[in-house]
Amino acid sequence: MKIRSAAWAAIAATLALAATGCGASEPVDEPSASAAAGGEGSTEYPLTIENCGVEVTLDAPPERVVSLDQNSTEILYSLGLEDRVAGTASWTDPVLPGLEAANADVPRLADNAPTYEVVLDADPDFITASFGRHLGENGVATRDRFAETGIESYLSPTDCEGDLIINGGGTRTQLLEVESLYTEIRELAAIFDVPSRGEALVADLQARADAALEGVDADGATVAFWFADTRTPYVAGGYGSAAMLAEMSGMENSFADTADDWPATGWETVVEKDPDVLVLGDLQRNRFPGDLLADKIEFLESDPLTSTLDAVENERYIALHGAEMNPSIRFVDGLEKIGEFWKEQNAD
């Protein structure tokens, strides 16, 4: 069979309304009906959130946020907060379809990680990150260093277990759950005083995830997720976001016994495991050999070793963008593509 990629799905109409029909909250003398029901303007300040071992306190909604990762950027855009975004960084793919207008006028500070000085030049009053490596000693800057200049920071709960930072030197001890992503959405919505938009986004993702998996029967098929690099391929370990996709869709991750999110392995190991299906990262960054989907397929089908894989011989590929294999709102786009693949398989 040929590669089948489900069409990109834009954010649902209800979210479009939530993102464009609600402006930034304004101070009012008396609580509105919306605020009383938990809508816009209902966050009470000062707001304190326990975030990955750090206490974050805000006296008001941030006005200028720098987002250090595409994942957090697209959450902010989906919440209709593009007017608050002073800069973005670390992109693996084009912006999520449907969010192009939101992204159009926002400065990109760097395609990858920016320097601390570049971030400060954007004059932020708040920092968000999806991966803890940006907020570590060898990253953009530590959270303490940002705090010294009066800038609070927020790290996605998908990248921590308590105060253990996964992409900051830690290793997961349990499978990532989608609820961590929903927590991130709700907390960012509360921070920016748009809680009803956060609930709308979560509800939409939940509905799409349910629909994507309805009638899907993967029957425990084994799968390997290949993110990047033809020399020493980075594959999905047993506890990260891609492993969560496998679990949710009823597939068995061939590298479930590996704790790291994206361990580097050898092709001999992949061939030995001989997964039924290969999920291939369709990355647009083109930083490493095999980032692009076409390059991955060419390598798999021409290499004397990998060409013997049953999944290669039968072209059982599922193409996912890099952001769909990372903890982000795009997990549901990944589920939709996986669901479509298996629905077509079951129909054959």
Side-chain angles (χ1 to χ4, degrees), residues 150-174:
I151 303 172
E152 290 282 9
S153 59
Y154 180 88
L155 175 61
S156 171
T158 63
D159 201 47
C160 60
E161 293 180 9
D163 58 0
L164 175 68
I165 310 304
I166 306 306
N167 280 279
T171 301
R172 295 187 194 275
T173 62
Q174 57 194 23

Side-chain angles (χ1 to χ4, degrees), residues 58-183:
L58 298 118
D59 294 324
E63 294 293 334
R64 294 183 58 82
V65 54
V66 165
S67 174
L68 297 177
D69 287 294
Q70 180 173 357
N71 305 342
S72 54
T73 298
E74 291 181 345
I75 291 176
L76 295 172
Y77 289 166
S78 296
L79 294 174
L81 297 169
E82 60 271 15
D83 62 327
R84 309 287 187 92
V85 182
T88 69
S90 300
W91 291 78
T92 61
D93 300 285
V95 69
L96 182 68
L99 298 179
E100 296 93 343
N103 186 57
D105 296 325
V106 176
R108 180 175 295 195
L109 305 183
D111 289 337
N112 302 307
T115 64
Y116 177 62
E117 291 73 21
V118 166
V119 172
L120 289 189
D121 283 345
D123 192 27
D125 59 0
F126 193 64
I127 303 292
T128 64
S130 301
F131 301 113
R133 61 177 176 266
H134 294 312
L135 300 175
E137 291 291 344
N138 298 316
V140 177
T142 65
R143 301 183 75 170
D144 286 342
R145 190 176 185 190
F146 279 121
E148 288 171 359
T149 57
I151 303 172
E152 290 282 9
S153 59
Y154 180 88
L155 175 61
S156 171
T158 63
D159 201 47
C160 60
E161 293 180 9
D163 58 0
L164 175 68
I165 310 304
I166 306 306
N167 280 279
T171 301
R172 295 187 194 275
T173 62
Q174 57 194 23
L175 180 66
L176 176 66
E177 296 183 354
V178 72
E179 285 301 323
S180 295
L181 175 66
Y182 296 155
T183 295

Side-chain angles (χ1 to χ4, degrees), residues 159-327:
D159 201 47
C160 60
E161 293 180 9
D163 58 0
L164 175 68
I165 310 304
I166 306 306
N167 280 279
T171 301
R172 295 187 194 275
T173 62
Q174 57 194 23
L175 180 66
L176 176 66
E177 296 183 354
V178 72
E179 285 301 323
S180 295
L181 175 66
Y182 296 155
T183 295
E184 177 180 9
I185 293 169
R186 289 185 171 112
E187 289 183 339
L188 286 175
I191 286 168
F192 285 90
D193 201 13
V194 290
S196 68
R197 301 186 201 178
E199 291 304 325
L201 179 55
V202 169
D204 179 74
L205 293 173
Q206 290 172 326
R208 287 177 58 193
D210 290 342
L213 297 177
E214 186 176 358
V216 170
D217 182 14
D219 195 27
T222 56
V223 60
F225 293 78
W226 176 22
F227 193 83
D229 206 326
T230 56
R231 297 162 298 191
T232 52
Y234 288 89
V235 298
Y239 296 133
S241 183
M244 181 185 75
L245 293 179
E247 175 80 10
M248 294 177 74
S249 58
M251 295 188 290
E252 180 182 332
N253 182 7
S254 293
F255 290 86
D257 57 349
T258 305
D260 291 341
D261 276 13
W262 293 103
T265 190
W267 286 115
E268 294 82 0
T269 303
V270 176
V271 170
E272 180 181 349
K273 291 182 180 292
D274 197 20
D276 298 317
V277 177
L278 288 171
V279 176
L280 307 178
D282 184 10
L283 312 184
Q284 301 303 304
R285 64 186 186 186
N286 203 17
R287 286 170 53 197
F288 299 105
D291 272 356
L292 303 178
L293 175 64
D295 292 344
K296 281 186 171 71
I297 295 173
E298 180 181 3
F299 173 82
L300 288 170
E301 297 182 351
S302 62
D303 182 81
L305 185 60
T306 59
S307 61
T308 65
L309 285 163
D310 185 67
V312 174
E313 291 179 348
N314 291 282
E315 296 181 305
R316 288 195 293 273
Y317 307 135
I318 303 174
L320 299 187
H321 289 294
E324 294 167 355
M325 292 193 281
N326 282 327

